């Protein structure tokens, strides 16, 4: 929700001038609201990257220019040139535990754990998730019986570790959390020299981080780092994984200086053991570069991304897919510094290298994301036709490999509708939005909140086609569904209200009712964006207008005073 569908009051002729809406992304209760159209002055062009399974739950937005968009994509880590070994996706790596000098008995147990791990992993990869759950649950019940009988050793801890990793891969975070609680009670009672404990602790640190329990994650990482330092010394390669995990968590909690120091320590360790041009340096360089970008130090980050590119070029050549992925990272870096044309050229080169090398399949999520990133940038610089061609390519590839009516097509249909709306081709935008809604109606319940995202965009499109009655009915339906799903004072509801108000103003609905809707919008905006936000200022303009029209002079005076102060504030911001 932001400014509004119709942003400026024209007091002379009692109407609000038409302008495209810019709905800024914002989180609330796990839902990310998204941008429907482009606000001309800001070039705030947003496209969607929605996994097929997410369609039934919520829509997700990725913004091309945000620092967070430079973060590693955890979805297809096996294929990425820039992996993150500290991430929970480590479940999908082939080896569960680091090589050890354990006794034969422990090695046999390790093999049994590895077999369980491999079996669960194979089931998940094949899509047999129910079988994976049954296998995990059976092992969980067994280990609980052992614990109830008094067994609280490394065998129980390591088994729970594998079970938790399995549920992490299944995205069952509730079960992961309860399993970790039980696991933590056991490891707290184990001595530091117990075999396998270091690997279990590394996994726990990663899972706590994924659950957002950063303090617990740090405690676990600190313990395992201490164990490994006493075993192998402070420059051991075995320290790399937990150090990377700790650096990542420290970055999340805002302890940037500590995180930078740890990344630098990992780089020194890797250089001393693997050499200055080792591929093992990619992960810490990537993590450090991303952290610096997040802190607004993009120029300091550039040297690290250039070094990654240099490593891949030297090891694999300029035409290797990994080199192409490194070029993508540089493109994203240029986005964060506003060098859009340079980013476009890098993306184009990267896309060609990755295609020619067959490093990633045409229908892979990574290739899809690169096309979307590039399409966003092309729209930003006014090259909408080129951007639309990329979006059409995404749709055609998706339809070829998954079918014309697959739910994942909704992402690309919405992107194309957004692009066509920017080009004022609202008829084509309507066609695409109706197709996307039809697909979603066959995928989820008609009352599912995920339907409201394309539905609200369709309402805006109907408004732009001067079909106000249809637009109003769509907006009212969106409002009803969202109020039930998110609560009456939620940001998604505020977004729907903002749209509805603009439509009803042109329909000349009752002034008193419109004022009440505006008050609701204002209340939500104040809570979500702050009392001095630009969104609040835009809504205040309309509120003051209707207060004046309804003769509410006292309330109008206080609102007008507040509006004047905000206008002065933003005027000064523009001057400086």
């Amino acid at each position: 929700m932001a400014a509004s569908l119709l942003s400026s009051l024209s007091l002379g002729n009692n109407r609000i001038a038409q302008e495209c809406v810019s709905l800024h992304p914002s989180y609330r209760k796990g839902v990310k609201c998204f941008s429907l159209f482009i606000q001309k002055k800001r070039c705030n062009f947003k496209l969607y990257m929605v996994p097929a399974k997410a369609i039934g739950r919520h829509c997700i937005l990725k913004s091309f220019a945000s620092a967070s968009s430079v973060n590693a994509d955890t979805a297809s880590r096996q294929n990425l040139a820039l992996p993150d070994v500290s991430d929970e996706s480590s479940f999908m790596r082939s080896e569960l535990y680091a090589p050890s000098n354990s006794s034969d008995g422990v090695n046999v147990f390790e093999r049994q754990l590895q077999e369980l791990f491999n079996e669960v992993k194979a089931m998940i990869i094949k899509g047999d998730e129910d079988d994976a759950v049954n296998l995990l649950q059976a092992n969980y019940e067994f280990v609980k019986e052992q614990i109830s009988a008094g067994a609280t050793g490394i065998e129980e801890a390591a088994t729970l570790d594998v079970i938790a990793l399995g549920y992490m891969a299944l995205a069952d975070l509730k079960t992961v959390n309860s399993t970790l609680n039980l696991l933590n009670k056991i490891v707290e009672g184990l001595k530091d020299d117990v075999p396998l404990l270091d690997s279990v602790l590394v996994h726990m640190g990663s899972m706590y981080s994924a659950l957002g329990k950063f303090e617990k994650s740090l405690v676990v990482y600190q313990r395992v780092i201490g164990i490994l330092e006493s075993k192998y010394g402070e420059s051991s390669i075995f320290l790399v994984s937990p150090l990377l995990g700790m650096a990542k968590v420290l970055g999340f909690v805002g302890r940037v200086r500590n995180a930078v120091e740890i990344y630098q320590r990992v780089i020194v360790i890797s250089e001393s053991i693997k050499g200055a041009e080792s591929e093992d340096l990619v992960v810490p360089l990537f993590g450090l570069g991303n952290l610096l970008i997040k802190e607004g130090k993009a120029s300091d980050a550039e040297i690290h991304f250039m070094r990654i590119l240099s490593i891949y070029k030297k090891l694999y050549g300029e035409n290797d897919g990994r080199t192409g992925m490194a070029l993508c990272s540089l493109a994203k870096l240029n986005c964060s510094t506003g060098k859009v044309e340079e980013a476009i050229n890098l993306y184009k080169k990267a896309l060609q290298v990755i295609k020619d090398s067959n490093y990633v399949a045409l229908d892979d999520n990574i290739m899809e994301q690169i096309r979307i990133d590039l399409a966003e940038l092309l729209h930003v610089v006014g090259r909408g036709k080129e951007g639309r061609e990329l979006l059409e390519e995404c749709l055609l590839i998706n339809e070829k490999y998954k079918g014309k009516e697959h739910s994942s097509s909704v992402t690309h249909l919405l992107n194309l509708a957004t692009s066509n709306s920017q080009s004022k081709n609202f008829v084509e935008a309507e066609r695409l939005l109706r197709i996307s809604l039809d697909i979603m109606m066959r995928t989820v319940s008609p009352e599912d909140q995920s339907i409201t995202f394309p539905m609200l965009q369709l309402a805006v499109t109907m408004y732009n086609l001067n079909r106000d009655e249809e637009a109003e009915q769509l907006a009212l339906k969106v409002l009803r569904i969202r109020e039930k799903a998110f609560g009456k004072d939620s940001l998604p509801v505020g977004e729907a209200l903002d749209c509805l108000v603009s439509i009803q103003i042109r329909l000349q609905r009752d002034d008193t009712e419109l004022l009440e809707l505006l008050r609701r919008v204002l209340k939500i905006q104040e809570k979500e964006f702050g009392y001095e936000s630009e969104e609040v200022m835009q809504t205040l303009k309309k509120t003051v207008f209707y207060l004046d029209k309804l003769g509410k002079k006292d309330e109008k005076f206080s609102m007008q005073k507040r509006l004047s102060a905000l206008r002065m504030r933003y005027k000064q911001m523009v001057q400086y």
Side-chain angles (χ1 to χ4, degrees), residues 36-189:
L36 291 181
F37 289 92
I38 300 87
Q39 191 174 35
K40 295 176 184 177
K41 292 182 181 179
R42 295 186 182 180
C43 295
N44 186 25
F45 189 77
K46 309 287 187 183
L47 295 178
Y48 307 83
M49 185 65 185
V50 186
K53 291 184 180 179
I55 289 292
R57 298 195 296 275
H58 51 80
C59 289
I60 299 173
L61 165 77
K62 188 210 69 65
S63 170
F64 87 93
S66 65
S68 61
S69 69
V70 190
N71 290 341
D73 179 7
T74 61
S76 301
R77 192 69 67 186
Q78 283 179 309
N79 295 325
L80 276 177
L82 305 172
D84 182 351
V85 297
S86 69
D87 198 87
E88 64 274 8
S89 61
S90 60
F91 177 82
M92 290 303 177
R93 298 202 302 273
S94 59
E95 293 300 323
L96 183 60
Y97 295 105
S100 67
N101 297 318
S102 307
S103 64
D104 290 341
V106 174
N107 285 331
V108 170
F109 178 59
E110 276 188 65
R111 286 196 295 273
Q112 292 172 342
L113 288 173
Q114 188 71 52
E115 288 170 6
L116 171 61
F117 169 83
N118 290 340
E119 193 169 351
V120 172
K121 181 176 68 171
M123 289 175 178
I124 293 172
I125 290 173
K126 288 191 330 188
D128 300 332
E129 294 187 355
D130 290 341
D131 290 340
V133 169
N134 291 335
L135 181 57
L136 290 168
Q137 186 62 32
N139 278 278
Y140 184 73
E141 294 300 328
F142 173 77
V143 77
K144 276 191 71 176
E145 289 178 10
Q146 298 293 105
I147 293 169
S148 298
T152 55
I154 189 60
E155 292 85 356
E156 288 71 33
T159 305
L160 286 171
D161 176 37
V162 175
I163 292 168
L165 286 169
Y167 281 113
M168 179 64 73
L170 289 164
D172 184 351
L173 301 186
K174 184 177 179 181
T175 304
V176 173
N177 186 53
S178 61
T179 305
L180 276 175
N181 288 337
L182 183 57
L183 173 56
N184 193 52
K185 291 177 183 178
I186 295 175
V187 298
E188 282 180 346

Side-chain angles (χ1 to χ4, degrees), residues 398-413:
N398 193 79
E399 289 178 342
K400 177 181 178 181
Y401 287 93
K402 297 180 182 177
K404 283 198 171 184
E405 296 186 352
H406 194 274
S407 59
S408 58
S409 294
V410 172
T411 300
H412 309 299
L413 290 165

Side-chain angles (χ1 to χ4, degrees), residues 374-496:
L374 179 54
E376 287 178 330
L377 294 182
L378 288 166
H379 279 86
V380 166
V381 297
R383 292 156 64 178
K385 183 180 178 183
E386 291 179 66
R388 202 151 42 249
E389 288 172 357
L390 280 169
L391 298 177
E392 288 168 352
E393 183 181 349
C394 284
L395 179 62
L396 289 172
I397 290 171
N398 193 79
E399 289 178 342
K400 177 181 178 181
Y401 287 93
K402 297 180 182 177
K404 283 198 171 184
E405 296 186 352
H406 194 274
S407 59
S408 58
S409 294
V410 172
T411 300
H412 309 299
L413 290 165
L414 291 176
N415 285 339
L416 281 168
T418 303
S419 176
N420 278 282
S421 293
Q422 185 197 27
S423 300
K424 308 293 185 186
N425 189 356
F426 297 114
V427 173
E428 177 63 8
E430 179 195 359
R431 185 186 74 83
L432 294 165
L433 288 167
R434 292 197 182 277
I435 293 172
S436 68
L437 269 174
D438 184 57
I439 292 172
M440 291 190 75
M441 288 289 190
R442 294 196 297 271
T443 307
V444 298
S445 162
E447 298 296 307
D448 192 288
Q449 57 85 11
S450 62
I451 288 175
T452 67
F453 292 96
M455 191 176 288
L456 189 62
Q457 188 168 349
L458 182 59
V460 177
T461 303
M462 293 296 96
Y463 175 88
N464 284 307
L465 288 170
N466 295 311
R467 288 155 62 181
D468 298 337
E469 297 284 351
E470 291 179 70
E472 182 184 35
Q473 291 306 308
L474 286 164
L476 285 168
K477 186 173 182 180
V478 169
L479 179 62
R480 177 177 56 78
I481 294 173
R482 289 189 177 184
E483 284 180 336
K484 185 177 179 181
F486 306 121
K488 291 192 174 183
D489 295 327
S490 65
L491 184 58
V493 166
E495 179 186 66

